Amino acid sequence: MVVILGIESTAHTFGVGIVQDGKVVANVKDTYTTESGGIIPVDAAKHHREKGKEIYEKALSDSGIDETEIDAIAFSQGPGLPPCLREGLKFAKELASKLKKPLVPVNHCIAHLEIGRITGSNDPVMLYTSGANTQVIAYSSGKYRVFGETLDLGVGNFIDTFARYLGLGFPGGPKIQKLAEQSKNYVELPYTVKGMDIALSGILTNLKQKIESRKYSAEELSYSVQETVFSMLVEVAERALAYTDKKEILLAGGVACNPRLKEMCKKMCDERLKKTEMFVPDNSLLVDNGAMIAYAGEILFGAGIKTPYNKIEDLDIKPRQRTDDVEVNWK
Ligand code: ATP
Ligand code: FE2
């Protein structure tokens, strides 16, 4: 039996998850939110510092596992906001020293992708849509290769900024989803796909002008944003499927919680001549969470990637680490 505890702290969420032999047995988190405006990194870090212990204890009691049974502690090493990453690292180091157990550093983006395995997906094209990232990825010879990505903003950050323009707080995604469901009136927005890449900042400027003109309702703009931007995502994902000749698509990251994105993706799969299957983990595993860190941590731990508790001093955060920089030596 292998028990891995995972700690997530890269941005808005502090989460602790526990995975036992590939099964999620606890996934507790708390997210820093705002009434209006975006994330203030030092405030998010303060949130993590204050909530850490309580979340950890709840995860243990949910799982029924005693902390002495933990084999290793996985933590999100990067990318992310430095003050938030530092809180997670500190928590992880203290726990490793106390329990005398090794640390497993995990790349946050790779955890978003690896948790997809829990759905039974085997060799997919991955559409990773989260706050800071928007990428179409597939695994090939030792690395997660990025086939296409946003040329400017991540789609989650784009939606959050649009929500902020409407006077809504963070996170904006779920609020925009609700508004979008109340309209069917499409207002034309720029559509920017370049090969397998997309660009979003022009759409944001256009939206700002439309909001300021007061000619459109928040509902119709939200609806139009989802229809336009999700179509762009589905288009690049389909192109990557055709290019790689793969038969599976896996959705990853917080924006994939959106039912309209899932619906559009599913439709694309059903309409392809080549049989294509869509996989998407439960929403609780899509937005930042500790279980995905524990899950990826278990895979890395199994491949011998760990730092013993008496050698953790030099371990540091990696705020800018890219998905395709990571050597995947566990597959
Ligand atoms: P990254 O993984 O790139 O570092 P992140 O960790 O901030 O970014 P996640 O936690 O995976 O990203 O996702 C958070 C994002 O998902 C936020 O931008 C949020 O608005 C968006 N989101 C959450 N739910 C929905 C939804 N129902 N519809 C659209 N977007 C959503
Ligand atoms: Fe994330």
Side-chain angles (χ1 to χ4, degrees):
M1 186 181 88
V2 180
V3 176
I4 307 291
L5 181 123
I7 298 168
E8 164 54 36
S9 78
T10 57
H12 40 77
T13 298
F14 192 90
V16 174
I18 301 175
V19 166
Q20 182 178 3
D21 298 329
K23 283 208 177 61
V24 177
V25 292
N27 190 15
V28 184
K29 62 182 170 182
D30 195 87
T31 299
Y32 159 89
T33 58
T34 67
E35 288 295 320
S36 64
I39 305 186
I40 300 162
V42 289
D43 286 354
K46 182 163 171 272
H47 162 271
H48 298 352
R49 197 156 57 242
E50 288 171 358
K51 294 278 176 168
K53 189 164 178 285
E54 179 189 326
I55 293 170
Y56 171 69
E57 280 165 5
K58 172 100 174 33
L60 284 179
S61 74
D62 280 7
S63 67
I65 284 172
D66 188 81
E67 62 179 9
T68 55
E69 296 173 76
I70 296 168
D71 293 300
I73 298 136
F75 71 99
S76 254
Q77 191 177 28
L81 305 170
C84 300
L85 286 168
R86 267 184 228 113
E87 288 304 326
L89 178 67
K90 185 160 170 274
F91 196 98
K93 282 187 173 177
E94 283 173 7
L95 194 58
S97 306
K98 177 180 153 201
L99 302 178
K100 299 197 171 18
K101 289 292 153 74
L103 283 182
V104 180
V106 171
N107 174 283
H108 173 87
C109 305
I110 286 188
H112 272 298
L113 303 176
E114 289 287 342
I115 190 65
R117 287 204 206 182
I118 214 164
T119 63
S121 164
N122 179 36
D123 182 24
V125 162
M126 292 163 269
L127 179 61
Y128 171 31
T129 57
S130 60
N133 284 286
T134 300
Q135 295 174 328
V136 184
I137 297 173
Y139 176 77
S140 167
S141 42
K143 280 200 173 167
Y144 279 107
R145 314 269 167 192
V146 177
F147 285 85
E149 65 185 320
T150 176
L151 299 173
D152 40 43
L153 298 164
V155 66
N157 288 356
F158 160 84
I159 294 174
D160 294 333
T161 309
F162 167 57
R164 207 169 72 222
Y165 291 166
L166 292 175
L168 305 169
F170 177 85
K175 295 170 191 155
I176 297 302
Q177 180 198 318
K178 287 222 168 63
L179 287 169
E181 283 161 4
Q182 290 158 38
S183 176
K184 282 264 176 263
N185 190 26
Y186 185 75
V187 179
E188 189 144 346
L189 293 171
Y191 184 97
T192 355
V193 169
K194 296 172 186 170
M196 277 185 264
D197 294 329
I198 67 164
L200 295 166
S201 59
I203 309 179
L204 205 50
T205 309
N206 187 285
L207 282 165
K208 194 162 194 214
Q209 289 162 353
K210 286 201 164 68
I211 294 169
E212 283 164 359
S213 78
R214 295 174 184 272
K215 281 195 208 144
Y216 310 93
S217 70
E219 288 81 1
E220 59 193 359
L221 288 180
S222 299
Y223 171 73
S224 309
V225 161
Q226 288 200 172
E227 293 305 301
T228 307
V229 173
F230 294 169
S231 299
M232 289 163 52
L233 293 173
V234 172
E235 182 184 332
V236 293
E238 183 173 21
R239 198 157 291 139
L241 278 168
Y243 182 78
T244 57
D245 208 23
K246 293 193 193 277
K247 299 173 192 68
E248 296 177 2
I249 182 153
L250 171 67
L251 304 189
V255 181
C257 290
N258 192 292
R260 182 61 181 142
L261 177 60
K262 291 185 226 196
E263 183 184 41
M264 284 165 78
C265 238
K266 180 78 177 59
K267 190 154 188 271
M268 177 269 284
C269 291
D270 293 346
E271 285 175 1
R272 289 192 89 220
L273 290 175
K274 192 162 186 168
K275 190 170 176 292
T276 310
E277 217 178 330
M278 180 177 94
F279 294 87
V280 47
D282 185 74
N283 281 2
S284 62
L285 299 173
L286 286 172
V287 186
D288 287 0
N289 66 88
M292 70 179 192
I293 306 301
Y295 190 88
E298 186 179 344
I299 297 169
L300 271 64
F301 181 73
I305 301 166
K306 60 185 173 199
T307 307
Y309 73 93
N310 53 0
K311 299 218 168 81
I312 58 180
E313 232 164 82
D314 293 343
L315 273 183
D316 207 355
I317 58 172
K318 294 188 175 169
R320 304 198 71 83
Q321 189 180 41
R322 262 183 70 93
T323 314
D324 47 6
D325 283 341
V326 178
E327 290 289 344
V328 179
N329 39 18
W330 59 85
K331 274 193 189 254

